[in-house]
Amino acid sequence: LLTPRCSARPYPGFVAMADAKTSVSKEEDALIKKRLLTQTTTARQGADPPVKRLVKKYLAFCGALGGDGDDGASGEEEREKHRESFLKELALYEFTLGRVAAVTSANTREMASYSAARGEVDEAVSRAEADIRALRDDLDAARQDRRHKEEYETLRRLCVQLPSRSDTQAACADLETQIAALTKESDEASSKLDLRKKQFALLLHAAHELRDELEEDDAAGVGGGEAIPMETT
């Protein structure tokens, strides 16, 4: 029997089966069909096919009926012999046709069952592919959600290690107070330093004037001591 050719789209896993079932070429299909019609495949080696045998029996019977031979008992016996032979061959051919019809009907039912099963399989494969795509999308979404959770957890751990907002604001206020106090102390120290510089400069100026006066006094004293002895002499 010919292998049915399905028009459904092949899926992975069924390609090899479909290729194996559709490997018969058109020439082989035609040859098998011809052999089935002529029943040449059921004949014995060297024997005539059933149709040819039936035609021969029929022609022999017709020849016996229309022959010009003896019309006596021997002729009647010969005609009866050809008639029985033809009827037997006809009954055998009808039996063969009935058997072929039964096989054809069974094959037709099998092909219909196969087509229905193939449709169910294709539908199941389509549903499975849709489920796989949906599950793949769910898996991608779950992975993305997991990455987000891991990032959030990393940020949470970093935030836990840092002080709270209120503590940070209090520390900043404390630092600002310390900076203001240090700035005030720096300004006061700068003012005192400027005053000390002025006082030191004034002190140096007074020391220089005092040194100059002492040097003048020393010079004047040395000159007066030398003049007195000269007058006494």
Side-chain angles (χ1 to χ4, degrees):
L1 294 178
L2 298 179
T3 303
R5 301 180 184 272
C6 299
S7 60
R9 181 173 62 89
Y11 294 97
F14 299 99
V15 176
M17 180 178 66
D19 292 340
K21 290 181 177 295
T22 58
S23 61
V24 181
S25 63
K26 293 182 179 180
E27 292 79 6
E28 292 175 342
D29 289 342
L31 180 60
I32 293 173
K33 184 177 181 180
K34 181 179 178 181
R35 288 183 176 179
L36 288 175
L37 291 177
T38 58
Q39 294 292 317
T40 56
T41 56
T42 61
R44 295 187 302 276
Q45 186 69 24
D48 295 331
V51 176
K52 190 174 182 179
R53 290 201 309 271
L54 180 62
V55 172
K56 286 184 178 180
K57 296 293 183 181
Y58 176 73
L59 293 177
F61 178 58
C62 291
L65 290 176
D68 296 334
D70 188 6
D71 293 335
S74 59
E76 185 66 24
E77 183 179 354
E78 186 69 18
R79 286 191 294 272
E80 184 66 21
K81 179 181 178 182
H82 285 293
R83 187 181 73 84
E84 291 180 359
S85 178
F86 170 70
L87 291 178
K88 288 180 180 179
E89 191 66 31
L90 180 61
L92 179 61
Y93 188 74
E94 288 178 350
F95 173 76
T96 303
L97 291 179
R99 186 178 61 181
V100 171
V103 173
T104 302
S105 177
N107 289 335
T108 302
R109 291 193 301 271
E110 185 178 357
M111 290 173 61
S113 177
Y114 173 78
S115 299
R118 181 60 181 270
E120 293 177 358
V121 171
D122 293 343
E123 185 179 356
V125 170
S126 299
R127 289 196 302 268
E129 289 180 347
D131 294 340
I132 290 173
R133 288 192 296 269
L135 292 174
R136 186 181 292 111
D137 294 338
D138 294 340
L139 180 60
D140 294 338
R143 288 176 176 173
Q144 186 69 20
D145 186 49
R146 181 178 179 180
R147 284 195 295 268
H148 290 167
K149 289 182 178 179
E150 290 177 352
E151 292 175 358
Y152 296 156
E153 181 65 20
T154 302
L155 293 175
R156 187 190 66 81
R157 291 178 181 177
L158 292 176
C159 292
V160 168
Q161 295 176 0
L162 298 175
S164 62
R165 184 185 183 90
S166 58
D167 295 340
T168 303
Q169 290 178 348
C172 289
D174 188 17
L175 289 175
E176 289 177 355
T177 303
Q178 294 179 9
I179 290 172
L182 292 174
T183 303
K184 183 178 179 181
E185 291 178 1
S186 178
D187 294 339
E188 292 177 354
S190 297
S191 299
K192 291 180 180 180
L193 182 60
D194 292 338
L195 179 61
R196 294 293 186 271
K197 286 181 179 180
K198 292 178 181 179
Q199 292 176 352
F200 185 72
L202 181 60
L203 179 61
L204 288 177
H205 181 69
H208 285 304
E209 289 182 351
L210 180 60
R211 187 186 63 183
D212 293 339
E213 290 178 358
L214 291 175
E215 289 178 353
E216 291 178 357
D217 292 342
D218 290 340
V222 172
E226 292 177 354
I228 292 175
M230 291 177 63
E231 291 180 352
T232 54
T233 60

